Amino acid sequence: MYRDRYDKLSGWIRKKPYRYEIFIILYKTLPLLVMVTYAVMIFYGIYKLNREEWIRIIAVPAVTFLAVTIFRKLINEKRPYEVYDIQPLVYKSKQGESFPSRHMVSVVIIAMAGFYISSLLGGLLMMVSALIGILRPAAGVHYVRDILGGFFFSLLMGIIGFYVI
């Protein structure tokens, strides 16, 4: 069933070259956009935030990234292209470590840092995170559960790191 749905979706994208090109551009540039925005947030923090706030927008994402990296190695879930006979829209040779999606964890925790600075910035970053969350399973490199796991992992870490501690 997964394979049939994936083949239908990827076939629709591959059918028209412009669809595939747009897909690849979004797949590659949206995470870069978030990373550049995060770098700007860090530099902004140097001048506009107090030291504790600035350290927090660096430390919370760093701890979250480290925690998810260790967790993924322990769980070591296979990726869709390892389980099913599918050809992903984006070539990946990575084996395992699918759950949770580290891309999703990263972009959502950065969005949470954005919320810590500005609700508008956080909201915009969360919208970009949603797009990335759609693209990763569509590419065939993650399951939807990997995306949802990454989202909720970062949401929890962000709430604890930015608003509880």
Side-chain angles (χ1 to χ4, degrees), residues 40-58 113 116-118:
V40 170
M41 288 166 51
I42 291 170
F43 285 111
Y44 169 85
I46 293 171
Y47 299 106
K48 298 292 184 176
L49 302 176
N50 67 44
R51 184 181 173 154
E52 180 186 317
E53 292 170 326
W54 183 73
I55 289 172
R56 193 175 295 255
I57 66 167
I58 294 171
Y116 187 66
I117 294 171
S118 155

Side-chain angles (χ1 to χ4, degrees), residues 120-140:
L120 176 62
L121 176 61
L124 291 171
L125 286 169
M126 201 57 85
M127 285 190 282
V128 173
S129 298
L131 289 173
I132 292 170
I134 292 167
L135 293 170
R136 305 293 294 175

